[in-house]
Amino acid sequence: MGLHVNIQDEGPTVMRMFGLGLSTSAAQGADPVGDARLAEELEFDFVSASDHPCGAEPTYEVWTLLTWVAAATSRIQVATRVLGMPYRPPAMVAKMAESLHRFSGGRLILGLGGGYSDDEFRAFGLGVPSPAEKVDGMVEGIHIIRGLWSEPAFTFHGSRYHTERADLEPKPDRPIPIWLGTYGKRALEATGRLADGWIPSYGFAPPEQAAVLRERVLAAAEASGRTVTCVYNVPVHVGESQVSEGVVSGSAEEVAERLLTFSGLGFSSMNLMPVGDFRQQAERLASDVVPILRSS
């Protein structure tokens, strides 16, 4: 998974991976597992789903959902986009991830973040970390997860999390990529230093801002002698000239042209979020948009 990302002034980055964002809706008629099967049939590289367990609308818990998705598919990778670290102790995430990765034949991408929604933490009685504590917890969580994946009797004492001679068996038999959804200065530096991938969202980091944030990730990665996969999470709609300001929309050619500009910002992969009828949009993207991106 560790795709090399070019740093500045080397021309557009070749786009290598294309994913589809699944809805976690549990409303009547929703079928995210069926949607994932379709994504696999359409030869997308991965599917992803977000982590928002609290809400008035019916939804599935993301880890349970992706477990069902992995069981119902055979090739496509599954990604958390992204797990909020405060929801689950990182040592348990390490165990959960190893199990899902093993059951799925090595298809898990573990997306992590510091935790976005303070209202959700408050509602579930989890406490509300400060911004600094969120970054500290994310960094400590990664150290614990990777430590448990690789070392026996692993001990870690941090300000947010700790382990005491913890053993995790079996350990992963192949690497599990960690992607981070980050935006702040400290979190971006940690992404470049620790992560395999960076997955910002179009709504939180519009293209011009994303290009600046990406340079911070890459500077930290270069200083650490590492490479990071840059994946842009983009809402898309094929068929109408304009859906809303936060959606890349238009004809297939217009959507492809717009998405290609993001390769010029250094994004080697896309997580496409279909707006509208999921299956119709997935088919349009697979037949009319992705081939243009893959051939450019």
Side-chain angles (χ1 to χ4, degrees):
M1 294 294 302
L3 305 177
H4 180 70
V5 179
N6 297 320
I7 301 176
Q8 287 281 348
D9 301 326
E10 297 181 13
T13 299
V14 175
M15 290 195 181
R16 301 177 185 272
M17 293 178 62
F18 297 93
L20 279 183
L22 299 175
S23 169
T24 60
S25 175
Q28 185 174 2
D31 183 15
V33 175
D35 291 344
R37 288 196 192 101
L38 176 63
E40 182 168 78
E41 291 170 8
L42 295 173
E43 299 187 349
F44 283 91
D45 299 297
F46 65 94
V47 290
S48 67
S50 62
D51 184 27
H52 293 289
C54 179
E57 299 298 322
T59 59
Y60 293 107
E61 190 276 327
V62 64
W63 200 269
T64 311
L65 169 61
L66 289 180
T67 300
W68 278 83
V69 165
T73 56
S74 60
R75 177 197 59 80
I76 200 164
Q77 293 180 280
V78 295
T80 53
R81 189 193 73 251
V82 291
L83 289 186
M85 190 65 75
Y87 285 128
R88 306 164 187 85
M92 284 304 302
V93 172
K95 185 65 176 178
M96 293 158 58
E98 197 289 325
S99 294
L100 180 51
H101 199 57
R102 186 174 296 271
F103 272 130
S104 67
R107 291 187 284 137
L108 175 66
I109 299 168
L110 182 59
L112 299 171
Y116 163 67
S117 179
D118 290 352
D119 288 342
E120 289 184 0
F121 300 146
R122 194 174 294 111
F124 274 26
L126 298 173
V128 180
S130 69
E133 288 172 334
K134 289 179 181 180
V135 177
D136 291 341
M138 182 185 71
V139 169
E140 291 177 11
I142 293 170
H143 285 305
I144 287 173
I145 290 166
R146 289 236 176 91
L148 288 170
W149 285 345
S150 61
E151 299 180 28
F154 180 70
T155 295
F156 180 91
H157 293 158
S159 62
R160 304 289 297 170
Y161 303 109
H162 70 275
T163 61
E164 202 69 50
R165 295 189 58 79
D167 285 306
L168 186 151
E169 293 295 341
K171 299 193 185 303
D173 55 8
R174 67 189 82 180
I176 303 175
I178 292 178
W179 291 1
L180 300 183
T182 53
Y183 304 93
K185 183 177 180 180
R186 287 183 63 228
L188 292 167
E189 186 276 333
T191 301
R193 180 165 46 86
L194 299 172
D196 303 298
W198 177 54
I199 181 166
S201 291
Y202 186 89
F204 291 114
E208 296 75 13
Q209 181 182 356
V212 174
L213 301 183
R214 174 181 170 272
E215 289 308 306
R216 293 177 180 168
V217 171
L218 295 185
E222 187 175 34
S224 301
R226 306 180 64 257
T227 59
V228 177
T229 300
C230 291
V231 187
Y232 209 10
N233 184 44
V234 185
V236 294
H237 179 88
V238 182
E240 297 180 18
S241 58
Q242 185 66 37
V243 174
S244 68
E245 186 176 345
V247 178
V248 173
S249 58
S251 68
E253 293 77 13
E254 289 170 333
V255 170
E257 181 179 2
R258 179 62 172 152
L259 294 177
L260 279 172
T261 66
F262 303 150
S263 73
L265 303 178
F267 287 96
S268 63
S269 301
M270 295 278 172
N271 183 69
L272 304 174
M273 301 286 293
V275 174
D277 183 285
F278 179 93
R279 297 190 178 189
Q280 180 187 68
Q281 287 294 306
E283 290 171 355
R284 290 293 307 275
L285 288 166
S287 63
D288 300 337
V289 175
V290 172
I292 297 175
L293 303 179
R294 289 196 191 276
S295 64
S296 299

